[in-house]
Every structure is written in structure tokens, then in C-alpha cells.
Amino acid sequence: MFGSLLLLACLFLHLVVSIPQPACRRCCDHLPPLDDTATLRESIPAMPEVRTYINMTILKGDKGDRGERGTPGKPGIEGSLGPRGTEGLKGDKGQAGAPGDACKTQHSAFSVGRRKSLHSVYNYQALIFDTTFVNSPEHFDMFAGKYRCHVPGIYFFNVNIHTWNRKETYLHIMHNDSEKAIVYAQPSDRSIMQSQSLMLPLRGGDEVWLRLFKHERQNAIYSDDVDIYITFNGYLIKPEAE
């Protein structure tokens, strides 16, 4: 059986080999030679252009959340000053402010008294006082009997004295070394009260004081340890404008 099949296969192979085959022909033999490039390009039909179209409405998703705010950028260059605008309407009057600090208010005042009588000697005498009623802020020198100006301006001064029986009363209100006003009373059997007042413009460092005349005129002023008969007062009226 196996031998018969092998014999048949050999016969079939012999028949196939013995049948003449047609000559081989290439599918591109009808085309022009390859060196004629222009002719070849014209003979080949153009390929259609393919363009891809995407429908964005299909691909678009839902709107996302708002992102965080970015860091501010650098400031730009400062521009030039613009023209001045029109003047606005006048506003309403505001309310009065609170009072200023009292410490800033300039002031100076004194009032002093003397309990002892005084008689003239061979030289002029400055009246020295032993009682202080007011001395704010310590501008009156009790040891020298002189007011020293610390706040330039206009000042008011007043002197009150009591005369001595049968003696003349003769003293001056002094501005530095210059006599400015006199307090005078002629000798009399009765003692009386005398007064003198004036205003003076003072500069810083000026002194105002009382001076009893010297011994060439017999004069005196009276006081005692019980009552005060002699007083000297002064205060700043208006400080000098700065």
C-alpha cells in the first residue's frame, strides 16, 4: 500500500516538472524608464489629500474650578503728573477742637510782701521781700528782690507801700538800671497808703525791682510783723509773638 502511494507521487511530480511554464512578466514593464522622472511623475495619478477633522464639541469637557490668584506683578513705571482738577465746593465748618495743652500756655506771675520797715541809708537800697503769695513759675528772686524776665512780652506791675509819719517816702520802680516810675509822698503827721502801677515791655533777662532813695533825703516806708503793708506784684499780659 505504501509503495503504491509513493509511486503515484513520483509520477505526479514528473508531470508537473515536464509541463512547459509561461515566461515571467513584471507588472511595471509598461511604465517609461526611470531616468525620465518628469514623465514618470506626470503618468502617476495624484494621490488624494487626506485631512483629519476633529469635532471639538465632542472632546470639550466640563468647565473647571477657578484657580488660585497669582502673585502680583512688578509695579509699572510711574506716570507723569496729570493736570490739576477743578476746585471743589467749600465744605461745612467743622466742630471746635478740644482745648490745647495748658502746659504750652506761656505765663508768669508773682506777688510778694514785706513785714519790716525800711529807712534810707547813704546808698540806694533794693527792697527785699520776706513773704510770697504767688511766684509762678519761680521767676521772682526773693534773695535779690528782683523779677527776672523769662518770657518776653508786655507785663503789668503794681507797688503798694505805707508811708512813715513825718518822713518822706521816695522810691522808684526800676527796669534794669533805669527809673521807670516813682512812688512818692511828702512828710505828713498822718501815714497813708500809696500805690503805683505801670506796664513795661520786657525782653529775656530784663529785671524789674524797687529801689529806695539814698540818705540825702530822709525817707522811709512802714510795715510790722503783724500786718503786711508793702506789696509788689506783676504778671505777663501778652507774650511776644514768635
Side-chain angles (χ1 to χ4, degrees):
M1 182 69 181
F2 179 75
S4 298
L5 292 174
L6 181 61
L7 180 61
L8 288 175
C10 291
L11 290 175
F12 179 78
L13 179 62
H14 175 73
L15 291 175
V16 172
V17 171
S18 63
I19 296 174
Q21 297 294 327
C24 181
R25 184 179 179 182
R26 296 177 298 179
C27 61
C28 56
D29 289 343
H30 67 283
L31 297 175
L34 293 177
D35 56 347
D36 194 354
T37 307
T39 306
L40 179 61
R41 186 181 300 112
E42 291 177 356
S43 62
I44 298 175
M47 296 296 292
E49 182 179 0
V50 179
R51 296 184 179 181
T52 304
Y53 172 76
I54 301 175
N55 189 348
M56 298 301 296
T57 59
I58 298 176
L59 301 178
K60 184 177 181 180
D62 297 334
K63 185 177 181 181
D65 297 333
R66 186 173 181 177
E68 297 181 358
R69 186 173 182 178
T71 57
K74 295 181 179 181
I77 301 174
E78 185 177 356
S80 58
L81 185 65
R84 184 174 181 179
T86 57
E87 185 177 356
L89 299 176
K90 185 177 181 180
D92 298 332
K93 185 177 180 180
Q95 297 179 352
D101 188 355
C103 296
K104 295 182 180 179
T105 302
Q106 294 179 312
H107 71 281
S108 182
F110 74 92
S111 179
V112 294
R114 180 183 172 95
R115 295 181 180 274
K116 296 180 180 180
S117 301
L118 184 64
H119 292 267
S120 61
V121 294
Y122 289 101
N123 298 314
Y124 294 112
Q125 297 181 82
L127 266 67
I128 306 300
F129 297 87
D130 51 37
T131 303
T132 302
F133 301 110
V134 174
N135 191 8
S136 176
E138 303 294 332
H139 290 171
F140 190 87
D141 186 346
M142 295 294 290
F143 296 99
K146 295 181 178 181
Y147 172 78
R148 291 190 175 93
C149 176
H150 292 263
V151 183
I154 299 175
Y155 286 78
F156 174 82
F157 296 97
N158 168 259
V159 180
N160 296 289
I161 58 97
H162 193 282
T163 64
W164 197 294
N165 293 350
R166 302 182 183 85
K167 292 186 178 182
E168 189 177 34
T169 299
Y170 188 11
L171 56 87
H172 286 102
I173 301 175
M174 304 292 294
H175 179 196
N176 296 327
D177 294 326
S178 176
E179 302 94 346
K180 291 300 180 182
I182 189 173
V183 182
Y184 180 77
Q186 292 181 341
S188 174
D189 293 337
R190 298 179 58 186
S191 59
I192 58 174
M193 293 292 298
Q194 292 285 90
S195 180
Q196 179 66 280
S197 302
L198 80 164
M199 289 189 294
L200 292 173
L202 301 183
R203 297 179 179 178
D206 284 356
E207 295 180 335
V208 179
W209 50 290
L210 303 181
R211 187 188 71 179
L212 189 68
F213 205 80
K214 54 189 176 180
H215 188 64
E216 63 186 51
R217 306 174 73 105
Q218 291 287 337
N219 70 93
I221 52 177
Y222 175 80
S223 190
D224 59 35
D225 295 334
V226 178
D227 298 311
I228 297 177
Y229 291 89
I230 305 168
T231 60
F232 183 28
N233 316 286
Y235 56 87
L236 173 65
I237 296 177
K238 183 179 183 297
E240 185 178 89
E242 296 181 358

